[in-house]
Amino acid sequence: MSGPVNRAVIPSSAHATATMKANRRRDTKPEVAIRSLLHRRGLRFRIDKPIRTDTGIVRPDVVFTTQRIAVFVDGCYWHACPEHGELPRANRDFWREKFRRNRARDKEQTAALEKAGWSVLRIWEHEEPQRAAERVRNLLATTQMGRE
Ligand SMILES: [Zn+2]
C-alpha cells in the first residue's frame, strides 16, 4: 500500500527541488536586467560586496559604496513574496518555518545595515526591472542631495 503514498509525495518534492534549484542560482534574470539598466545609465556599483555589520557579514546584490546604498533583489520564492510565495505541498511545517526564518533574516540584515549607516532598498524579483532601476536611481539622487 505504499505505492499510492509515494506517488503522492514524489511529484511535489520533485517540484520543490526543481523550484529550489531555479531559485538558488546567483545572477537571477531580474537581477541581471536591473544591473544592466543601471550600468547603461552610467552608474557604477559592486556586486555581492561583503559589508561588515554588528551582526555579521551581509552581501547585498548591488552595492554603491560611496553613497552607502545596498540593494537586494529578493526572489519571490525564497523570500516568500506576498503575491507569489507558495508553500510546497510536502512538509509544509518545515517550509513555513524555513520561509519565516528567511524573512526574519532579511529584516535583521536590513536593520544591521541601516544601523551601520547604509540605505537599504529591497526589490522583489517580480518588479518590472525598468521601475526597479528607477527606484535605485531615485534613492541615489536623494542620497547625493543630502550629502552636497
Ligand atoms: Zn513576487
Side-chain angles (χ1 to χ4, degrees):
M1 283 305 283
S2 66
V5 175
N6 282 343
R7 269 203 295 280
V9 170
I10 289 163
S12 61
S13 325
H15 172 75
T17 308
T19 315
M20 274 187 283
K21 278 189 185 141
N23 282 281
R24 193 173 286 162
R25 217 183 319 135
R26 273 238 154 268
D27 297 332
T28 59
K29 243 195 241 169
E31 192 181 325
V32 170
I34 292 164
R35 286 205 314 244
S36 71
L37 284 167
L38 294 172
H39 202 263
R40 242 180 280 160
R41 294 284 192 163
L43 301 172
R44 294 299 173 259
F45 45 85
R46 303 278 300 274
I47 298 163
D48 295 322
K49 181 187 153 66
I51 299 174
R52 202 177 297 277
T53 71
D54 285 353
T55 49
I57 300 282
V58 184
R59 288 175 177 274
D61 297 312
V62 173
V63 174
F64 295 89
T65 315
T66 319
Q67 298 91 340
R68 290 177 90 77
I69 288 178
V71 180
F72 294 87
V73 182
D74 292 337
C76 293
Y77 182 78
W78 280 113
H79 299 263
C81 151
E83 287 172 50
H84 310 105
E86 57 169 294
L87 221 45
R89 263 166 289 173
N91 306 315
R92 294 181 86 86
D93 287 344
F94 168 81
W95 288 108
R96 195 175 285 121
E97 175 58 16
K98 171 129 191 84
F99 291 148
R100 192 195 61 73
R101 280 203 310 268
N102 284 354
R103 278 197 307 267
R105 197 192 50 211
D106 291 344
K107 276 191 188 161
E108 278 164 26
Q109 291 190 338
T110 298
L113 284 168
E114 285 174 349
K115 201 179 160 210
W118 289 77
S119 302
V120 179
L121 184 61
R122 300 202 85 107
I123 292 167
W124 282 114
E125 118 183 279
H126 68 243
E127 285 186 48
E128 207 268 303
Q130 200 83 38
R131 280 199 57 199
E134 204 56 36
R135 285 175 62 199
V136 175
R137 291 182 60 226
N138 288 342
L139 182 58
L140 276 165
T142 320
T143 310
Q144 269 151 2
M145 270 191 289
R147 299 242 157 104
E148 273 160 15

